[in-house]
């Protein structure tokens, strides 16, 4: 029975792994693969792992393979985490599937996590390395890769707005210097909204000022016919909310929002309803329809009522009002841009990260894992 128990433990937590393969014939690139970074991050998000577990995965990915899906390693080790088929991690084909490999790593890390473990020691608990300290030594590299993974898609107006290595850029112009922004910015008129790694929504109007905290997804800001701005976001509890009015944002007659809450937010749904970034469309009469992903459904909110538009959604929606008054909905499915017709129809075979940007003229833009923004349709 003791021998059987030992085998079970080894199958669950892995076997000794080295800091990069000792096999000298297994060549490891010096820099990470952005597509592997995207897939590992997506796997962690799908499991809703903690920040600590996510960082452990990125530290392990760098130490084991420099975040590459290696087809070689010591003994029968393979893939980004150098997992071994002979020790129960899966078949070679499964381990060479980055999503599968990352899911197995994160599932083991969630089981093994304890308060006394640093992210690096948690990574070692999964990998059972010869050199436990090497994972935490990789924290700076892992954090940089995580910032890249959190960059998100573009916001396209007259210029392309993106978050790059923690800061907001408008074309060649750097709009921030704090290195703590994540996700996709949103632009309404001359105002730029962006989310920080701490779950704050900040607005730029000359200087950056806080709008709200306790936010889990990227903001969506739209300019209304009267010149005001409506901002929507998914909060930390999974509810959808309209955030505080623009005058409060600009400090006119109101103070900054208190720590850990929202100033004047208006709930549009119950907790646990949605995830990701909302999309909003302003109609000619001034009314607004808000679109979100709720589970696998695309949901629309108009006049206080939610209705289901389509199923099969795994990413945030991007909805735009065409000049003829019709609605065009887009999303990323398995990293590929899709447009909603009778079903979700792919717009080419390119692989992208996070959200897409769509314009009324039918143009669709998306961001590749290496940071390049391209026109898709």
């Amino acid at each position: 029975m003791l021998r059987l128990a030992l085998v079970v433990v080894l199958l669950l937590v892995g076997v000794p792994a080295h800091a990069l393969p000792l096999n000298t014939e297994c060549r490891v690139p010096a820099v990470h693969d952005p597509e592997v970074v995207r897939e590992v991050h997506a796997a962690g998000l799908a499991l809703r792992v903690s920040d600590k577990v996510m960082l452990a995965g990125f530290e392990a990915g760098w130490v084991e393979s420099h975040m590459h899906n290696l087809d070689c390693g010591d003994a029968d080790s393979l893939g980004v985490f150098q997992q071994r088929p002979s020790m129960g991690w899966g078949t070679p084909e499964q381990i060479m599937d980055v999503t599968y490999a990352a899911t197995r790593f994160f599932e083991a890390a969630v089981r093994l996590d304890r308060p006394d473990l640093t992210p690096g020691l948690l990574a070692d608990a999964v990998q059972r390395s010869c050199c436990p300290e090497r994972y935490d030594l990789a924290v700076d590299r892992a954090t940089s890769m995580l910032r890249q993974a959190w960059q998100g898609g573009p916001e396209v107006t007259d210029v392309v707005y993106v978050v790059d290595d923690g800061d907001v850029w408008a074309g060649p112009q750097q709009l921030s210097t704090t290195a703590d922004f994540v996700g996709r910015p949103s632009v309404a008129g001359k105002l730029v909204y962006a989310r920080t790694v701490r779950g704050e929504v900040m607005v730029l109007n000359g200087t950056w000022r806080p709008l709200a905290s306790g936010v889990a997804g990227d903001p969506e800001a739209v300019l209304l016919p009267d010149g005001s701005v409506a901002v929507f976001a998914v909060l930390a509890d999974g509810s959808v909310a309209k955030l505080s009015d623009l005058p409060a944002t600009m400090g006119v007659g109101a103070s900054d929002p208190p720590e850990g809450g929202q100033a004047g937010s208006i709930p549009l749904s119950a907790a646990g309803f949605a995830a990701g970034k909302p999309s909003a469309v302003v109609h000619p009469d001034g009314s607004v329809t808000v679109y979100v992903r709720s589970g696998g459904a695309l949901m629309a909110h108009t006049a206080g009522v939610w209705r289901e538009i389509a199923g099969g959604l795994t990413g945030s929606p991007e909805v735009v009002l065409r000049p003829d008054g019709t609605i065009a909905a887009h999303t990323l499915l398995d990293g590929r841009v899709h447009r909603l017709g009778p079903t979700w129809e792919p717009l080419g075979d390119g692989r992208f990260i996070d959200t897409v940007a769509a314009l009324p003229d039918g143009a669709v833009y998306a961001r590749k894992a290496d940071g390049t923004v391209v026109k898709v349709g």
Side-chain angles (χ1 to χ4, degrees):
M1 290 298 293
L2 179 59
R3 181 178 297 176
L4 177 59
L6 178 59
V7 170
V8 171
V9 169
L10 288 175
L11 289 176
L12 286 175
V13 303
V15 297
H18 300 282
L20 300 182
L22 294 180
N23 179 357
T24 57
E25 295 181 357
C26 187
R27 298 190 178 278
V28 181
V31 296
H32 63 270
D33 182 338
E35 181 63 19
V36 172
V37 167
R38 182 193 71 80
E39 292 184 66
V40 171
H41 188 240
L45 290 179
L47 293 174
R48 297 190 175 185
V49 302
S50 68
D51 291 344
K52 175 183 174 181
V53 170
M54 183 74 82
L55 183 56
F58 273 67
E59 289 186 6
W62 176 257
V63 169
E64 301 294 350
S65 67
H66 282 183
M67 216 60 139
H68 279 263
N69 196 24
L70 301 178
D71 61 359
C72 56
D74 295 313
D76 59 341
S77 299
L78 292 169
V80 62
F81 297 104
Q82 290 290 280
Q83 295 159 334
R84 296 183 62 181
S86 64
M87 300 308 297
W89 284 103
T91 67
E93 293 75 18
Q94 287 174 322
I95 291 172
M96 289 300 294
D97 180 324
V98 175
T99 298
Y100 172 89
T103 298
R104 289 296 307 274
F105 176 93
F106 286 128
E107 288 173 343
V110 169
R111 288 195 300 268
L112 295 169
D113 190 19
R114 304 192 311 266
D116 61 304
L117 294 179
T118 65
L121 292 178
L122 176 58
D124 176 67
V126 177
Q127 301 296 100
R128 294 177 58 83
S129 168
C130 66
C131 313
E133 71 283 352
R134 295 194 181 185
Y135 297 104
D136 274 329
L137 291 176
V139 64
D140 289 343
R141 178 75 68 164
T143 301
S144 177
M145 291 189 299
L146 258 175
R147 283 203 303 267
Q148 181 184 90
W150 275 115
Q151 286 172 176
E155 173 83 338
V156 181
T157 57
D158 53 334
V159 298
V160 175
Y161 292 80
V162 295
V163 171
D164 188 11
D165 202 22
D167 281 306
V168 183
W169 293 73
Q173 182 182 6
Q174 186 172 357
L175 302 183
S176 71
T177 57
T178 57
D180 62 354
F181 286 99
V182 296
R184 171 184 165 182
S186 185
V187 178
K190 296 181 179 180
L191 302 175
V192 181
Y193 297 81
R195 176 170 60 103
T196 73
V197 71
R198 297 179 299 278
E200 302 164 316
V201 173
M202 305 289 289
V203 55
L204 176 64
N205 185 13
T207 60
W208 287 99
R209 300 174 65 88
L211 171 60
S213 57
V215 174
D218 297 334
E220 168 77 342
V222 290
L223 188 64
L224 302 178
D226 64 1
S228 63
V229 174
V231 185
F232 304 91
V234 175
L235 305 184
D237 65 358
S239 64
V240 185
K242 180 180 179 182
L243 303 183
S244 57
D245 294 335
L246 184 60
T249 304
M250 294 296 99
V252 179
S255 61
D256 290 337
E259 184 70 22
Q262 296 71 235
S265 65
I266 301 171
L268 302 182
S269 77
F273 183 76
K277 177 185 180 297
S279 184
V281 167
V282 181
H283 301 283
D285 64 359
S287 63
V288 178
T289 301
V290 180
Y291 298 83
V292 298
R293 174 172 67 88
S294 180
L298 172 60
M299 303 294 293
H301 180 273
T302 305
V305 177
W306 287 101
R307 68 185 191 281
E308 183 173 343
I309 303 299
L313 205 63
T314 59
S316 297
E318 172 73 358
V319 183
V320 65
L321 182 66
R322 298 186 180 112
D324 63 4
T326 60
I327 294 293
H330 312 78
T331 193
L332 287 182
L333 300 177
D334 194 27
R336 298 166 63 197
V337 178
H338 285 64
R339 178 179 289 146
L340 183 61
T343 61
W344 290 105
E345 301 166 352
L347 300 180
D349 294 323
R351 305 281 293 188
F352 303 95
I353 59 174
D354 198 27
T355 55
V356 300
L359 302 183
D361 64 4
V364 181
Y365 296 83
R367 193 178 190 186
K368 299 174 68 176
D370 65 4
T372 306
V373 176
V374 299
K375 185 176 179 180
V376 183

